[in-house]
Amino acid sequence: MPIYAFECAHCGHAFDRLQKLSDADPTDCPACGQPQVRRQLTAPSFRLAGAGWYETDFKKDGDKKRNLAEGTAGKPESAPAPAAKPAATPEPAKPAPAKPAAAD
């Protein structure tokens, strides 16, 4: 079951709740009792990374496991080639020529 984060819009009280996906979100704040509780958007606390994580570990024995960190040929993907020439630097701005004073 996932853990959801909630916050009361009235008093700012923040709390977490372990609940099923099918359970309804709480409506009343446990601190102030106001019906202004909203679910917060949170990031997962872990990330699967590295060469040891496969697309799925539940494939049949005959199926080939594909490593997500590798290309389609089974070799690690190569980094893109660097640009052939460095980026051009812009020229500094030139001052505008002075205009002669108009005689009245």
Side-chain angles (χ1 to χ4, degrees):
M1 286 195 303
I3 298 173
Y4 294 101
F6 297 95
E7 184 176 22
C8 177
H10 180 60
C11 69
H13 175 70
F15 61 98
D16 296 334
R17 183 172 167 188
L18 178 70
Q19 66 182 32
K20 294 179 184 178
L21 292 171
S22 59
D23 288 346
D25 288 347
T27 56
D28 297 336
C29 176
C32 68
Q34 295 293 321
Q36 297 186 14
V37 174
R38 295 180 189 230
R39 186 186 295 185
Q40 294 180 314
L41 181 63
T42 58
S45 60
F46 69 96
R47 189 181 85 162
L48 304 177
W53 298 103
Y54 292 94
E55 179 180 3
T56 178
D57 286 334
F58 299 103
K59 288 189 174 184
K60 297 177 186 173
D61 291 335
D63 294 339
K64 183 179 177 184
K65 291 183 179 180
R66 184 172 68 95
N67 191 326
L68 294 177
E70 295 179 355
T72 57
K75 297 178 183 176
E77 294 179 3
S78 61
K85 58 182 179 178
T89 56
E91 293 183 20
K94 296 179 183 177
K99 293 182 182 181
D104 288 326

